[in-house]
């Protein structure tokens, strides 16, 4: 009886109050959730850590989870059991998710079957945990919101992080000219290996002049912006006529001159993956799964942490000197 009871509990991260990384508590007696109809239970091997999870944990994001909760949406692992009416998956299948219902920072997670996708053998679980939010966000930002077309140029600001690398790979595969920025030599080399035609160091005080020298007076068609509160003002001056800044991430406010947008008839477009319709999600999923099959979608895993070091992971995600791929919890 004791052994049976022990199997019904798991280790999971729980947040009981909004605040800094220290509010992430690791509990070892959380009940393993049971999948209901159209749901699956996944034994988690790896879970991605996304910037949005740090904003939600601090209580500063528009989406405030109901306390207490377990963070995490991008898990990769193996199907443990399936709920009623699930025919697409069976116990033992390797999968990755875009979203979970019970939270991914845990040993087991429940997800809606339509937010779960097969993980091919050519990718490991760590790579599987680096697909969901980064690649779906990159595709949505680039095509559904940024209306990118082959032959256009895209500047990926903060290209060495999870969404940045995803954008470089997708944009290159779809025929765009890809420019990327990173904060370290290592980051610049990483983005050149993952689809960027040219890389710039955004710590170089003259880097915007170097981008302008590269694009010429016509400017860049699309800017994928991961840190809008720092770069948006300069972005508006780098755009082409009818150019678009697609705001993927921001950590605060910024002052801009609207004339920069008026002069070029340019646009600032916000992206929120959680607002995508089911049809848009299906389009993202089709593109992502096709990219895996074709071989150009290759997630880059950055820093790895055991579940016990989750607070350190959140700390490092916000304050580290330069991203190098997608951060994962094991």
């Amino acid at each position: 009886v004791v052994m049976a009871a022990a199997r019904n509990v798991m280790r999971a991260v729980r947040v009981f109050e909004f605040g800094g990384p220290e509010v992430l508590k690791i509990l070892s007696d959380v009940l393993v959730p049971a999948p209901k109809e159209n749901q699956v239970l996944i034994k988690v091997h790896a879970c991605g850590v996304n910037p949005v999870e740090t904003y939600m944990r601090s209580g500063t994001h528009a989406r405030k989870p109901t306390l207490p909760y377990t963070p995490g949406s991008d898990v990769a692992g193996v199907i443990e059991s399936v709920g009623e009416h699930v025919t697409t998956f069976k116990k033992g299948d390797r999968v990755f998710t875009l979203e979970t219902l019970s939270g991914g920072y845990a040993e087991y997670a429940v997800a809606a079957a339509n937010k779960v996708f097969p993980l091919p053998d050519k990718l490991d679980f760590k790579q599987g945990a680096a697909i969901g939010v980064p690649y779906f966000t990159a595709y949505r930002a680039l095509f559904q919101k940024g209306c990118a077309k082959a032959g256009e140029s895209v500047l990926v600001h903060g290209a060495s992080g999870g969404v940045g690398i995803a954008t470089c790979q997708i944009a290159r595969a779809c025929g765009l000219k890809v420019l990327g920025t990173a904060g370290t030599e290592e980051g610049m080399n990483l983005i050149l290996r993952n689809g960027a035609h040219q890389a710039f160091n955004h710590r170089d005080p003259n880097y915007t002049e170097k981008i302008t020298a590269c694009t010429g007076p016509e400017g860049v068609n699309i800017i994928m912006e991961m840190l809008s509160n720092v770069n948006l003002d300069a972005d508006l001056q780098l755009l082409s006529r009818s150019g678009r800044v697609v705001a993927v991430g921001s950590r605060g406010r910024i002052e801009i001159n609207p004339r920069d947008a008026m002069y070029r008839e340019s646009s600032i477009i916000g992206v929120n993956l959680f607002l995508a319709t089911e049809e848009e999600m299906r389009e993202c999923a089709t593109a992502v799964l096709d990219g895996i099959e074709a071989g150009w979608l290759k997630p880059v895993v950055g820093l790895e942490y055991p579940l016990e070091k989750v607070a350190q992971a959140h700390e490092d995600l916000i304050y580290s000197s330069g991203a190098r791929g997608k951060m994962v919890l094991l």
Side-chain angles (χ1 to χ4, degrees):
V1 174
V2 173
M3 282 182 69
R7 281 202 298 273
N8 289 329
V9 296
M10 63 174 181
R11 287 184 315 140
V13 174
R14 299 292 279 163
V15 176
F16 293 92
E17 59 179 325
F18 297 117
E22 69 282 354
V23 302
L24 297 160
K25 305 295 183 196
I26 293 144
L27 305 183
S28 54
D29 58 351
V30 177
L31 281 177
V32 174
K36 300 188 176 123
E37 74 177 312
N38 301 315
Q39 296 176 358
V40 298
L41 177 67
I42 300 163
K43 182 169 175 41
V44 178
H45 285 251
C47 181
V49 183
N50 296 294
V52 69
E53 287 145 25
T54 68
Y55 312 146
M56 288 165 85
R57 181 216 70 226
S58 67
T60 60
H61 195 263
R63 282 175 86 221
K64 270 205 174 85
T66 306
L67 296 168
Y69 77 100
T70 294
S73 54
D74 298 336
V75 310
V78 175
I79 298 284
E80 181 73 15
S81 61
V82 301
E84 277 187 275
H85 311 310
V86 176
T87 54
T88 41
F89 298 106
K90 63 184 186 308
K91 184 176 166 69
D93 286 350
R94 286 164 47 93
V95 294
F96 72 92
T97 69
L98 176 64
E99 209 175 287
T100 66
L101 295 164
S102 59
Y105 295 9
E107 290 180 319
Y108 291 89
V110 162
N114 65 350
K115 296 290 170 67
V116 177
F117 307 95
L119 179 67
D121 290 337
K122 63 170 117 172
L123 298 180
D124 64 28
F125 290 117
K126 291 184 282 193
Q127 289 174 301
I131 299 171
V133 170
Y135 282 88
F136 279 66
T137 299
Y139 183 86
R140 177 167 175 73
L142 208 49
F143 296 105
Q144 294 176 346
K145 293 294 164 193
C147 303
K149 295 181 186 66
E152 286 192 312
S153 57
V154 59
L155 169 64
V156 186
H157 232 149
S160 61
V163 177
I165 286 171
T167 306
C168 289
Q169 290 179 358
I170 293 171
R172 182 66 180 254
C174 294
L176 282 92
K177 181 181 180 182
V178 186
L179 313 176
T181 77
T184 63
E185 198 68 37
E186 192 185 350
M188 288 165 69
N189 290 330
L190 181 65
I191 62 183
L192 289 169
R193 290 196 302 274
N194 282 282
H197 291 89
Q198 281 185 273
F200 304 87
N201 189 330
H202 53 226
R203 295 183 197 281
D204 173 352
N206 302 317
Y207 85 97
T208 51
E209 286 90 333
K210 290 177 181 174
I211 292 171
T212 304
C214 175
T215 61
E218 59 271 19
V220 67
N221 301 116
I222 304 164
I223 297 177
M224 288 277 281
E225 186 50 73
M226 313 301 163
L227 199 57
S228 307
N229 58 299
V230 171
N231 301 317
L232 188 58
D233 185 47
D235 288 344
L236 291 174
Q237 297 164 53
L238 292 170
L239 285 176
S240 66
R241 184 173 171 183
S242 302
R244 293 85 80 195
V245 177
V246 187
V248 176
S250 182
R251 295 182 189 168
R253 304 173 71 85
I254 186 171
E255 189 174 299
I256 61 167
N257 183 349
R259 283 184 177 161
D260 290 328
M262 292 154 60
Y263 174 64
R264 298 169 180 81
E265 292 195 323
S266 55
S267 315
I268 301 165
I269 304 158
V271 175
N272 183 345
L273 183 61
F274 303 115
L275 294 182
T277 63
E278 266 191 55
E279 192 184 342
E280 287 171 331
M281 281 297 198
R282 272 198 299 275
E283 183 192 332
C284 292
T286 304
V288 165
L289 294 171
D290 186 59
I292 295 172
E293 200 180 323
W296 57 256
L297 192 157
K298 292 192 181 113
V300 175
V301 176
L303 296 169
E304 302 169 15
Y305 298 81
L307 200 59
E308 298 73 41
K309 295 274 170 68
V310 63
Q312 189 63 51
H314 270 223
E315 188 87 21
D316 293 349
L317 188 64
I318 295 299
Y319 299 110
S320 66
S321 60
R324 293 177 299 283
K326 175 71 183 279
M327 184 181 280
V328 295
L329 290 176
L330 303 176

